[in-house]
Amino acid sequence: DAPQAGGCDDAAPWAAAAPLAIGPTQETAVVAVADKIYILGGFQDLTITSAVQIFDTTTCTYAAGPELPLPVHHVNAAVIDGTIVVGGALQGGNFAAIGDTWSWHPATETAWSLRAPMPAGTQRGAGVAGAIDGTLIVAGGLRGGAVGDVSAYDLALDTWTALPSLPVPRDHACGGVIDGKLYVAGGRMTSIPSTSTATF
């Protein structure tokens, strides 16, 4: 069903919503702040975008946010106290890992701020990201191949710290934070059909 004017079609079990503002987009990061969903970067067809697409769940409409400092895909991102934090991503068609760290507080800021980058040799995208006690945790990811690195970024101190690695390398995994614990599920190792579960 098409979205209703001024809102979403809330018929069960799934609600129909407006399509992405810039068209089909994949390999993004998606985070939520208050009643809005933020879609960061990704591939728009074969073009890598720096777009920030903001979906308002109360009006079922899109708006454009401040663009990311670079066009990137496979972004690692989470929300810390209302601030969206990006810690690492992939860039270009060769999937080059970068360790750039950016933050943006939508309620009070109009642009992204540059933060301390991930230490050399730990940069990566396609990791599992979550926020625990004011810290962005990035587990696993892709840097030429799957890695098991686990890194912590303290937003208040603007510093990165290495944490114990995953039991096995993982990229393109799924995960999330529950009760102060980051769960990493599935993902890839050296080939696509790799499935496993680890807990942080």
Side-chain angles (χ1 to χ4, degrees):
D1 294 337
Q4 298 174 352
C8 294
D9 178 0
D10 59 359
W14 287 91
L20 289 168
I22 65 172
T25 315
Q26 62 177 327
E27 314 300 358
T28 66
V30 178
V31 296
V33 181
D35 56 0
K36 294 182 173 62
I37 297 170
Y38 297 78
I39 300 114
L40 312 177
F43 283 100
Q44 184 189 12
D45 293 325
L46 297 179
T47 301
I48 301 165
T49 182
S50 57
V52 174
Q53 304 176 72
I54 306 172
F55 180 71
D56 188 323
T57 61
T58 63
T59 63
C60 202
T61 57
Y62 279 95
E67 292 198 353
L68 298 169
L70 294 171
V72 287
H73 52 93
H74 292 85
V75 177
N76 309 316
V79 176
I80 300 174
D81 298 328
T83 296
I84 302 171
V85 182
V86 168
L90 300 179
Q91 191 176 33
N94 62 347
F95 286 47
I98 64 171
D100 294 42
T101 304
W102 310 317
S103 70
W104 174 45
H105 193 284
T108 61
E109 298 174 337
T110 59
W112 292 87
S113 297
L114 302 182
R115 298 284 187 157
M118 304 175 89
T122 68
Q123 66 273 19
R124 59 199 187 274
V128 172
I132 300 174
D133 296 332
T135 301
L136 170 70
I137 309 294
V138 179
L142 186 70
R143 185 175 60 250
V147 298
D149 303 9
V150 179
S151 306
Y153 173 73
D154 188 308
L155 179 62
L157 298 178
D158 194 26
T159 56
W160 283 94
T161 304
L163 297 177
S165 297
L166 293 173
V168 290
R170 279 288 181 274
D171 66 81
H172 287 80
C174 301
V177 174
I178 301 174
D179 294 333
K181 184 177 290 188
L182 179 65
Y183 290 83
V184 177
R188 303 178 185 176
M189 294 197 306
T190 55
S191 61
I192 290 175
S194 170
T195 56
S196 183
T197 302
T199 313
F200 171 75

